[in-house]
Amino acid sequence: MTSFLDFNKDPANDIDNKPQQYHNFGGKGVRVQVYWAADIWRDVSLWNNSWALLKGADEILRKYTLALDMLPLQTEPAALASTKEKATRKFDKTVDKQVARQKKAKGEVAKKQTEAAAKAIEEQGHAARGLLDFSGSVHVPMEGEAPIDGLTALRKSLGTVPDETRMVVVFAHIDGGPNGYTVLRQEWLPWVIADPTPTQDNPKTLLIHEMGHACRLNHQQSDAGSATAKNIMYPLDFKGLTQLWGWQVDTIYDSYWCNGRKPTNWWDRISNAKLPPDHPFLWEEPP
């Protein structure tokens, strides 16, 4: 684990003007496994905005000498290309050569190809692309824990997570108030749900804020107003949040998802902890 250089909470300090308060981790990856609920990946605007959130998280991590190590690896325009191509080839085999030569033309043939591709994507998506057989929303109240039934239904749609050292990130609709939620329950290791519905808030910080919680970071600057709050772990998301303090970056690096060990008894620690407001961590880990 890293040695904290300076347990600093000064909003005037950041890596650009106080580099001595930050380690250089050389682009070490924070590992995530990403999934999309069915009604998210079917909607082009929501699909694109989910990638904006992922890119925003990566951009912030790179600023602090980390990076986002993400599965699946595809970029958004190419994410479904191979599946669509396979579906098109399969369709071509069902018609004669003359029709196949017209596959780029408008009309009934193109329509059937599109339908075949969509069907193939739905059939193969869960295993191949992180696309889930889950639609609808998960209820998350503005305060308190989300009901377990909705969380369980969403989690079951993931099947078996292939690598538990990757933080689970699920893009799905959330109703009840917040656009992001970190699931901190004893049934699972911490995991993240993010709603990619476009908002006026800064898309760069929503996902990395929830990832910070999964790495045990608590809210910061809770008493600050929008004019003075700068830290990404501020309780509300808006465009002025741009920074992480050095010890917060160290904590992300020391997490199970990057370079650290698996949390031990973390649920007991978070349930029984009587931590003061603005405490650095949601739970304490032994040294």
CSV table of all heavy atoms in Angstrom, one decimal, residues 88-142:
chain,number,residue,atom,x,y,z
A,88,THR,N,-25.2,-10.3,-40.7
A,88,THR,CA,-25.4,-10.1,-42.1
A,88,THR,C,-25.0,-11.2,-42.9
A,88,THR,O,-25.7,-11.6,-43.9
A,88,THR,CB,-24.7,-8.8,-42.5
A,88,THR,OG1,-25.2,-7.7,-41.7
A,88,THR,CG2,-24.9,-8.5,-44.0
A,89,ARG,N,-23.8,-11.8,-42.6
A,89,ARG,CA,-23.3,-13.0,-43.4
A,89,ARG,C,-24.3,-14.1,-43.3
A,89,ARG,O,-24.6,-14.8,-44.2
A,89,ARG,CB,-22.0,-13.4,-42.9
A,89,ARG,CG,-20.8,-12.4,-43.2
A,89,ARG,CD,-19.5,-13.1,-43.1
A,89,ARG,NE,-19.3,-13.6,-41.8
A,89,ARG,CZ,-18.7,-13.0,-40.8
A,89,ARG,NH1,-18.3,-11.8,-40.9
A,89,ARG,NH2,-18.5,-13.6,-39.6
A,90,LYS,N,-24.8,-14.3,-42.1
A,90,LYS,CA,-25.8,-15.4,-41.8
A,90,LYS,C,-27.1,-15.2,-42.7
A,90,LYS,O,-27.6,-16.1,-43.3
A,90,LYS,CB,-26.2,-15.5,-40.4
A,90,LYS,CG,-27.1,-16.6,-40.0
A,90,LYS,CD,-27.4,-16.6,-38.5
A,90,LYS,CE,-28.4,-17.7,-38.2
A,90,LYS,NZ,-28.7,-17.8,-36.7
A,91,PHE,N,-27.5,-13.9,-42.8
A,91,PHE,CA,-28.7,-13.6,-43.6
A,91,PHE,C,-28.4,-13.8,-45.0
A,91,PHE,O,-29.2,-14.4,-45.8
A,91,PHE,CB,-29.1,-12.1,-43.3
A,91,PHE,CG,-30.2,-11.7,-44.2
A,91,PHE,CD1,-31.5,-12.1,-43.9
A,91,PHE,CD2,-30.0,-11.0,-45.4
A,91,PHE,CE1,-32.6,-11.7,-44.7
A,91,PHE,CE2,-31.1,-10.6,-46.2
A,91,PHE,CZ,-32.3,-10.9,-45.8
A,92,ASP,N,-27.2,-13.4,-45.5
A,92,ASP,CA,-26.9,-13.6,-46.9
A,92,ASP,C,-26.9,-15.0,-47.4
A,92,ASP,O,-27.3,-15.3,-48.5
A,92,ASP,CB,-25.5,-13.0,-47.2
A,92,ASP,CG,-25.4,-11.5,-47.1
A,92,ASP,OD1,-26.5,-10.9,-47.2
A,92,ASP,OD2,-24.3,-10.9,-47.0
A,93,LYS,N,-26.6,-15.9,-46.5
A,93,LYS,CA,-26.6,-17.4,-46.9
A,93,LYS,C,-28.0,-17.9,-47.1
A,93,LYS,O,-28.2,-19.0,-47.6
A,93,LYS,CB,-25.9,-18.2,-45.8
A,93,LYS,CG,-24.4,-17.9,-45.7
A,93,LYS,CD,-23.8,-18.8,-44.6
A,93,LYS,CE,-22.3,-18.5,-44.5
A,93,LYS,NZ,-21.6,-19.3,-43.4
A,94,THR,N,-29.0,-17.1,-46.6
A,94,THR,CA,-30.4,-17.6,-46.7
A,94,THR,C,-31.1,-17.1,-48.0
A,94,THR,O,-32.2,-17.5,-48.2
A,94,THR,CB,-31.2,-17.1,-45.5
A,94,THR,OG1,-31.3,-15.7,-45.5
A,94,THR,CG2,-30.6,-17.6,-44.2
A,95,VAL,N,-30.4,-16.3,-48.7
A,95,VAL,CA,-31.0,-15.8,-50.0
A,95,VAL,C,-30.1,-16.1,-51.1
A,95,VAL,O,-28.9,-16.5,-51.0
A,95,VAL,CB,-31.2,-14.2,-49.9
A,95,VAL,CG1,-32.3,-13.9,-48.8
A,95,VAL,CG2,-29.9,-13.5,-49.6
A,96,ASP,N,-30.6,-15.9,-52.3
A,96,ASP,CA,-29.8,-16.2,-53.5
A,96,ASP,C,-28.7,-15.1,-53.8
A,96,ASP,O,-28.8,-14.1,-53.2
A,96,ASP,CB,-30.6,-16.5,-54.7
A,96,ASP,CG,-31.5,-15.3,-55.1
A,96,ASP,OD1,-31.0,-14.2,-55.0
A,96,ASP,OD2,-32.6,-15.5,-55.6
A,97,LYS,N,-27.8,-15.4,-54.7
A,97,LYS,CA,-26.7,-14.5,-54.9
A,97,LYS,C,-27.2,-13.1,-55.4
A,97,LYS,O,-26.6,-12.1,-55.1
A,97,LYS,CB,-25.7,-15.1,-55.9
A,97,LYS,CG,-25.0,-16.4,-55.3
A,97,LYS,CD,-24.0,-16.9,-56.4
A,97,LYS,CE,-23.3,-18.2,-55.8
A,97,LYS,NZ,-22.4,-18.7,-56.8
A,98,GLN,N,-28.2,-13.1,-56.2
A,98,GLN,CA,-28.7,-11.9,-56.7
A,98,GLN,C,-29.1,-10.9,-55.6
A,98,GLN,O,-28.8,-9.7,-55.6
A,98,GLN,CB,-29.8,-12.1,-57.7
A,98,GLN,CG,-30.3,-10.8,-58.4
A,98,GLN,CD,-31.4,-11.1,-59.4
A,98,GLN,OE1,-31.8,-12.2,-59.6
A,98,GLN,NE2,-31.9,-10.0,-60.0
A,99,VAL,N,-29.9,-11.5,-54.7
A,99,VAL,CA,-30.4,-10.7,-53.5
A,99,VAL,C,-29.2,-10.3,-52.7
A,99,VAL,O,-29.1,-9.1,-52.2
A,99,VAL,CB,-31.4,-11.4,-52.7
A,99,VAL,CG1,-31.8,-10.7,-51.5
A,99,VAL,CG2,-32.6,-11.8,-53.6
A,100,ALA,N,-28.2,-11.2,-52.5
A,100,ALA,CA,-27.1,-10.8,-51.6
A,100,ALA,C,-26.3,-9.7,-52.2
A,100,ALA,O,-25.8,-8.8,-51.4
A,100,ALA,CB,-26.2,-12.1,-51.5
A,101,ARG,N,-26.2,-9.6,-53.5
A,101,ARG,CA,-25.5,-8.4,-54.1
A,101,ARG,C,-26.2,-7.1,-53.9
A,101,ARG,O,-25.6,-6.0,-54.0
A,101,ARG,CB,-25.3,-8.7,-55.6
A,101,ARG,CG,-24.3,-9.7,-56.0
A,101,ARG,CD,-23.9,-9.7,-57.4
A,101,ARG,NE,-25.0,-10.0,-58.3
A,101,ARG,CZ,-25.3,-11.2,-58.7
A,101,ARG,NH1,-24.5,-12.2,-58.4
A,101,ARG,NH2,-26.3,-11.4,-59.5
A,102,GLN,N,-27.4,-7.2,-53.5
A,102,GLN,CA,-28.2,-6.0,-53.3
A,102,GLN,C,-28.3,-5.6,-51.8
A,102,GLN,O,-29.2,-4.8,-51.4
A,102,GLN,CB,-29.6,-6.1,-53.9
A,102,GLN,CG,-29.6,-6.4,-55.3
A,102,GLN,CD,-31.0,-6.7,-55.9
A,102,GLN,OE1,-32.0,-6.8,-55.1
A,102,GLN,NE2,-31.2,-6.9,-57.2
A,103,LYS,N,-27.4,-6.2,-51.0
A,103,LYS,CA,-27.6,-6.1,-49.5
A,103,LYS,C,-27.5,-4.6,-49.0
A,103,LYS,O,-28.0,-4.3,-48.0
A,103,LYS,CB,-26.6,-6.9,-48.8
A,103,LYS,CG,-25.2,-6.6,-49.0
A,103,LYS,CD,-24.3,-7.5,-48.2
A,103,LYS,CE,-22.8,-7.1,-48.3
A,103,LYS,NZ,-21.9,-8.0,-47.5
A,104,LYS,N,-26.8,-3.8,-49.8
A,104,LYS,CA,-26.6,-2.4,-49.4
A,104,LYS,C,-27.8,-1.5,-49.9
A,104,LYS,O,-27.8,-0.3,-49.6
A,104,LYS,CB,-25.3,-1.8,-49.9
A,104,LYS,CG,-24.1,-2.5,-49.2
A,104,LYS,CD,-22.8,-1.8,-49.7
A,104,LYS,CE,-21.6,-2.5,-49.0
A,104,LYS,NZ,-20.3,-1.8,-49.4
A,105,ALA,N,-28.6,-2.0,-50.7
A,105,ALA,CA,-29.7,-1.3,-51.3
A,105,ALA,C,-30.8,-1.1,-50.2
A,105,ALA,O,-31.0,-1.8,-49.3
A,105,ALA,CB,-30.3,-2.0,-52.5
A,106,LYS,N,-31.6,0.0,-50.5
A,106,LYS,CA,-32.8,0.2,-49.6
A,106,LYS,C,-33.9,-0.7,-49.9
A,106,LYS,O,-33.9,-1.3,-51.0
A,106,LYS,CB,-33.2,1.7,-49.8
A,106,LYS,CG,-32.2,2.7,-49.4
A,106,LYS,CD,-32.8,4.1,-49.6
A,106,LYS,CE,-31.8,5.2,-49.1
A,106,LYS,NZ,-32.3,6.5,-49.3
A,107,GLY,N,-34.8,-0.9,-49.0
A,107,GLY,CA,-36.0,-1.7,-49.3
A,107,GLY,C,-36.1,-2.9,-48.3
A,107,GLY,O,-35.5,-2.9,-47.2
A,108,GLU,N,-36.8,-3.9,-48.7
A,108,GLU,CA,-37.1,-5.0,-47.8
A,108,GLU,C,-35.9,-5.8,-47.4
A,108,GLU,O,-35.8,-6.3,-46.3
A,108,GLU,CB,-38.1,-5.9,-48.6
A,108,GLU,CG,-38.7,-7.0,-47.7
A,108,GLU,CD,-39.5,-6.4,-46.5
A,108,GLU,OE1,-40.0,-5.3,-46.6
A,108,GLU,OE2,-39.7,-7.1,-45.5
A,109,VAL,N,-34.9,-6.0,-48.3
A,109,VAL,CA,-33.7,-6.8,-48.0
A,109,VAL,C,-33.0,-6.1,-46.9
A,109,VAL,O,-32.6,-6.8,-45.9
A,109,VAL,CB,-32.8,-6.9,-49.3
A,109,VAL,CG1,-31.5,-7.6,-48.9
A,109,VAL,CG2,-33.5,-7.8,-50.3
A,110,ALA,N,-32.7,-4.8,-47.0
A,110,ALA,CA,-32.0,-4.1,-45.9
A,110,ALA,C,-32.8,-4.2,-44.6
A,110,ALA,O,-32.2,-4.3,-43.6
A,110,ALA,CB,-31.8,-2.6,-46.3
A,111,LYS,N,-34.1,-4.1,-44.7
A,111,LYS,CA,-34.9,-4.2,-43.5
A,111,LYS,C,-34.7,-5.5,-42.8
A,111,LYS,O,-34.5,-5.6,-41.6
A,111,LYS,CB,-36.4,-4.0,-43.8
A,111,LYS,CG,-37.3,-4.1,-42.6
A,111,LYS,CD,-38.8,-3.9,-43.0
A,111,LYS,CE,-39.7,-4.0,-41.9
A,111,LYS,NZ,-41.1,-3.9,-42.3
A,112,LYS,N,-34.8,-6.6,-43.6
A,112,LYS,CA,-34.6,-7.9,-43.0
A,112,LYS,C,-33.2,-8.1,-42.5
A,112,LYS,O,-33.0,-8.8,-41.5
A,112,LYS,CB,-34.9,-9.0,-44.1
A,112,LYS,CG,-36.4,-9.1,-44.5
A,112,LYS,CD,-36.6,-10.2,-45.5
A,112,LYS,CE,-38.1,-10.3,-45.8
A,112,LYS,NZ,-38.4,-11.4,-46.8
A,113,GLN,N,-32.2,-7.6,-43.1
A,113,GLN,CA,-30.8,-7.6,-42.6
A,113,GLN,C,-30.7,-7.0,-41.2
A,113,GLN,O,-30.1,-7.5,-40.3
A,113,GLN,CB,-29.9,-7.0,-43.6
A,113,GLN,CG,-29.6,-7.8,-44.8
A,113,GLN,CD,-28.6,-7.2,-45.7
A,113,GLN,OE1,-28.6,-6.0,-45.8
A,113,GLN,NE2,-27.8,-8.0,-46.4
A,114,THR,N,-31.3,-5.8,-41.1
A,114,THR,CA,-31.3,-5.1,-39.9
A,114,THR,C,-32.0,-5.9,-38.8
A,114,THR,O,-31.5,-6.0,-37.6
A,114,THR,CB,-32.0,-3.7,-40.0
A,114,THR,OG1,-31.3,-3.0,-41.0
A,114,THR,CG2,-32.0,-2.9,-38.7
A,115,GLU,N,-33.1,-6.5,-39.1
A,115,GLU,CA,-33.9,-7.3,-38.2
A,115,GLU,C,-33.0,-8.5,-37.7
A,115,GLU,O,-33.0,-8.9,-36.5
A,115,GLU,CB,-35.2,-7.8,-38.7
A,115,GLU,CG,-36.2,-6.6,-38.9
A,115,GLU,CD,-37.4,-7.0,-39.7
A,115,GLU,OE1,-37.5,-8.2,-40.2
A,115,GLU,OE2,-38.4,-6.3,-39.7
A,116,ALA,N,-32.4,-9.1,-38.7
A,116,ALA,CA,-31.5,-10.3,-38.4
A,116,ALA,C,-30.3,-9.9,-37.5
A,116,ALA,O,-30.0,-10.6,-36.5
A,116,ALA,CB,-31.0,-10.9,-39.7
A,117,ALA,N,-29.8,-8.7,-37.8
A,117,ALA,CA,-28.6,-8.3,-37.0
A,117,ALA,C,-29.1,-8.0,-35.5
A,117,ALA,O,-28.4,-8.3,-34.6
A,117,ALA,CB,-28.0,-7.0,-37.6
A,118,ALA,N,-30.3,-7.3,-35.4
A,118,ALA,CA,-30.8,-7.0,-34.1
A,118,ALA,C,-31.1,-8.2,-33.3
A,118,ALA,O,-30.7,-8.3,-32.1
A,118,ALA,CB,-32.0,-6.1,-34.2
A,119,LYS,N,-31.6,-9.2,-33.9
A,119,LYS,CA,-31.9,-10.5,-33.3
A,119,LYS,C,-30.6,-11.2,-32.8
A,119,LYS,O,-30.5,-11.7,-31.7
A,119,LYS,CB,-32.7,-11.4,-34.2
A,119,LYS,CG,-33.1,-12.8,-33.5
A,119,LYS,CD,-33.9,-13.6,-34.5
A,119,LYS,CE,-34.2,-15.0,-33.8
A,119,LYS,NZ,-35.0,-15.8,-34.7
A,120,ALA,N,-29.6,-11.2,-33.7
A,120,ALA,CA,-28.4,-11.8,-33.3
A,120,ALA,C,-27.7,-11.1,-32.1
A,120,ALA,O,-27.1,-11.7,-31.2
A,120,ALA,CB,-27.4,-11.8,-34.5
A,121,ILE,N,-27.8,-9.8,-32.1
A,121,ILE,CA,-27.2,-9.0,-31.0
A,121,ILE,C,-27.9,-9.3,-29.7
A,121,ILE,O,-27.2,-9.5,-28.7
A,121,ILE,CB,-27.3,-7.5,-31.3
A,121,ILE,CG1,-26.4,-7.1,-32.5
A,121,ILE,CG2,-26.9,-6.7,-30.1
A,121,ILE,CD1,-26.6,-5.7,-33.0
A,122,GLU,N,-29.2,-9.4,-29.8
A,122,GLU,CA,-29.9,-9.8,-28.5
A,122,GLU,C,-29.5,-11.2,-28.0
A,122,GLU,O,-29.4,-11.4,-26.8
A,122,GLU,CB,-31.4,-9.7,-28.8
A,122,GLU,CG,-31.9,-8.2,-29.0
A,122,GLU,CD,-33.4,-8.1,-28.6
A,122,GLU,OE1,-33.9,-8.9,-27.8
A,122,GLU,OE2,-34.0,-7.2,-29.2
A,123,GLU,N,-29.4,-12.1,-29.0
A,123,GLU,CA,-29.1,-13.5,-28.6
A,123,GLU,C,-27.7,-13.6,-28.1
A,123,GLU,O,-27.4,-14.4,-27.2
A,123,GLU,CB,-29.2,-14.4,-29.8
A,123,GLU,CG,-30.7,-14.6,-30.2
A,123,GLU,CD,-30.8,-15.4,-31.5
A,123,GLU,OE1,-29.8,-15.6,-32.2
A,123,GLU,OE2,-32.0,-15.8,-31.9
A,124,GLN,N,-26.7,-12.9,-28.6
A,124,GLN,CA,-25.3,-13.0,-28.3
A,124,GLN,C,-24.8,-12.0,-27.3
A,124,GLN,O,-23.7,-12.1,-26.8
A,124,GLN,CB,-24.5,-13.0,-29.6
A,124,GLN,CG,-24.8,-14.1,-30.6
A,124,GLN,CD,-24.1,-13.9,-31.9
A,124,GLN,OE1,-23.0,-13.4,-31.9
A,124,GLN,NE2,-24.8,-14.2,-33.0
A,125,GLY,N,-25.6,-10.9,-27.1
A,125,GLY,CA,-25.1,-9.7,-26.4
A,125,GLY,C,-24.6,-10.0,-25.0
A,125,GLY,O,-23.5,-9.5,-24.6
A,126,HIS,N,-25.4,-10.7,-24.2
A,126,HIS,CA,-25.0,-10.9,-22.8
A,126,HIS,C,-23.6,-11.5,-22.7
A,126,HIS,O,-22.8,-11.0,-21.9
A,126,HIS,CB,-26.1,-11.8,-22.1
A,126,HIS,CG,-25.8,-11.9,-20.6
A,126,HIS,ND1,-25.0,-12.9,-20.2
A,126,HIS,CD2,-26.2,-11.2,-19.6
A,126,HIS,CE1,-24.9,-12.8,-18.8
A,126,HIS,NE2,-25.6,-11.8,-18.5
A,127,ALA,N,-23.4,-12.6,-23.4
A,127,ALA,CA,-22.1,-13.2,-23.3
A,127,ALA,C,-20.9,-12.5,-23.9
A,127,ALA,O,-19.8,-12.4,-23.4
A,127,ALA,CB,-22.2,-14.6,-23.9
A,128,ALA,N,-21.2,-11.8,-25.0
A,128,ALA,CA,-20.2,-11.2,-25.8
A,128,ALA,C,-19.9,-9.8,-25.6
A,128,ALA,O,-18.8,-9.3,-25.8
A,128,ALA,CB,-20.5,-11.4,-27.3
A,129,ARG,N,-20.9,-9.0,-25.1
A,129,ARG,CA,-20.7,-7.6,-25.1
A,129,ARG,C,-21.2,-6.9,-23.8
A,129,ARG,O,-21.3,-5.7,-23.7
A,129,ARG,CB,-21.5,-6.9,-26.2
A,129,ARG,CG,-21.1,-7.3,-27.6
A,129,ARG,CD,-19.7,-6.8,-27.9
A,129,ARG,NE,-19.3,-7.1,-29.3
A,129,ARG,CZ,-18.5,-8.2,-29.6
A,129,ARG,NH1,-18.1,-9.0,-28.6
A,129,ARG,NH2,-18.2,-8.4,-30.8
A,130,GLY,N,-21.5,-7.7,-22.8
A,130,GLY,CA,-21.9,-7.1,-21.5
A,130,GLY,C,-23.3,-6.5,-21.6
A,130,GLY,O,-23.7,-5.6,-20.8
A,131,LEU,N,-24.1,-7.0,-22.6
A,131,LEU,CA,-25.5,-6.5,-22.7
A,131,LEU,C,-26.5,-7.4,-21.9
A,131,LEU,O,-26.5,-8.6,-22.1
A,131,LEU,CB,-25.9,-6.4,-24.2
A,131,LEU,CG,-24.8,-5.7,-25.1
A,131,LEU,CD1,-25.3,-5.7,-26.6
A,131,LEU,CD2,-24.6,-4.3,-24.6
A,132,LEU,N,-27.3,-6.8,-21.1
A,132,LEU,CA,-28.0,-7.5,-20.1
A,132,LEU,C,-29.5,-7.7,-20.6
A,132,LEU,O,-30.1,-6.9,-21.2
A,132,LEU,CB,-28.0,-6.8,-18.8
A,132,LEU,CG,-26.7,-6.5,-18.2
A,132,LEU,CD1,-26.8,-5.8,-16.8
A,132,LEU,CD2,-25.9,-7.8,-18.0
A,133,ASP,N,-30.0,-8.8,-20.1
A,133,ASP,CA,-31.5,-9.1,-20.3
A,133,ASP,C,-32.2,-8.5,-19.1
A,133,ASP,O,-32.8,-9.2,-18.3
A,133,ASP,CB,-31.7,-10.6,-20.4
A,133,ASP,CG,-33.2,-10.9,-20.7
A,133,ASP,OD1,-33.9,-10.0,-21.1
A,133,ASP,OD2,-33.6,-12.1,-20.4
A,134,PHE,N,-32.1,-7.2,-19.0
A,134,PHE,CA,-32.8,-6.5,-17.9
A,134,PHE,C,-33.3,-5.1,-18.5
A,134,PHE,O,-32.5,-4.4,-19.1
A,134,PHE,CB,-31.8,-6.2,-16.8
A,134,PHE,CG,-32.4,-5.4,-15.6
A,134,PHE,CD1,-32.9,-6.1,-14.5
A,134,PHE,CD2,-32.4,-4.0,-15.6
A,134,PHE,CE1,-33.5,-5.4,-13.5
A,134,PHE,CE2,-32.9,-3.3,-14.6
A,134,PHE,CZ,-33.5,-4.0,-13.5
A,135,SER,N,-34.5,-4.8,-18.2
A,135,SER,CA,-35.1,-3.5,-18.6
A,135,SER,C,-35.8,-2.9,-17.4
A,135,SER,O,-36.1,-3.6,-16.5
A,135,SER,CB,-36.1,-3.7,-19.8
A,135,SER,OG,-35.4,-4.2,-21.0
A,136,GLY,N,-36.1,-1.7,-17.6
A,136,GLY,CA,-36.8,-1.0,-16.5
A,136,GLY,C,-35.8,-0.2,-15.6
A,136,GLY,O,-34.7,0.1,-16.1
A,137,SER,N,-36.2,0.0,-14.4
A,137,SER,CA,-35.3,0.8,-13.5
A,137,SER,C,-35.1,0.2,-12.1
A,137,SER,O,-35.9,-0.7,-11.7
A,137,SER,CB,-36.0,2.2,-13.3
A,137,SER,OG,-37.2,2.1,-12.7
A,138,VAL,N,-34.1,0.7,-11.5
A,138,VAL,CA,-33.9,0.3,-10.1
A,138,VAL,C,-34.2,1.5,-9.2
A,138,VAL,O,-33.8,2.6,-9.5
A,138,VAL,CB,-32.4,-0.1,-9.9
A,138,VAL,CG1,-32.1,-0.4,-8.4
A,138,VAL,CG2,-32.0,-1.3,-10.7
A,139,HIS,N,-35.0,1.3,-8.2
A,139,HIS,CA,-35.4,2.4,-7.3
A,139,HIS,C,-34.3,2.7,-6.3
A,139,HIS,O,-33.8,1.8,-5.6
A,139,HIS,CB,-36.7,2.1,-6.6
A,139,HIS,CG,-37.1,3.2,-5.7
A,139,HIS,ND1,-37.6,4.4,-6.1
A,139,HIS,CD2,-37.1,3.3,-4.3
A,139,HIS,CE1,-37.8,5.2,-5.1
A,139,HIS,NE2,-37.6,4.6,-4.0
A,140,VAL,N,-33.9,3.9,-6.2
A,140,VAL,CA,-32.9,4.4,-5.3
A,140,VAL,C,-33.4,5.7,-4.6
A,140,VAL,O,-33.6,6.7,-5.3
A,140,VAL,CB,-31.5,4.7,-5.9
A,140,VAL,CG1,-30.5,5.2,-4.9
A,140,VAL,CG2,-31.0,3.4,-6.6
A,141,PRO,N,-33.7,5.7,-3.4
A,141,PRO,CA,-34.2,6.9,-2.7
A,141,PRO,C,-33.1,8.0,-2.6
A,141,PRO,O,-31.9,7.7,-2.7
A,141,PRO,CB,-34.6,6.4,-1.3
A,141,PRO,CG,-33.8,5.2,-1.1
A,141,PRO,CD,-33.6,4.6,-2.4
A,142,MET,N,-33.5,9.2,-2.4
A,142,MET,CA,-32.5,10.3,-2.2
A,142,MET,C,-31.7,10.0,-1.0
A,142,MET,O,-30.5,10.4,-0.9
A,142,MET,CB,-33.2,11.6,-2.1
A,142,MET,CG,-33.8,12.1,-3.4
A,142,MET,SD,-32.5,12.3,-4.7
A,142,MET,CE,-31.4,13.6,-3.9
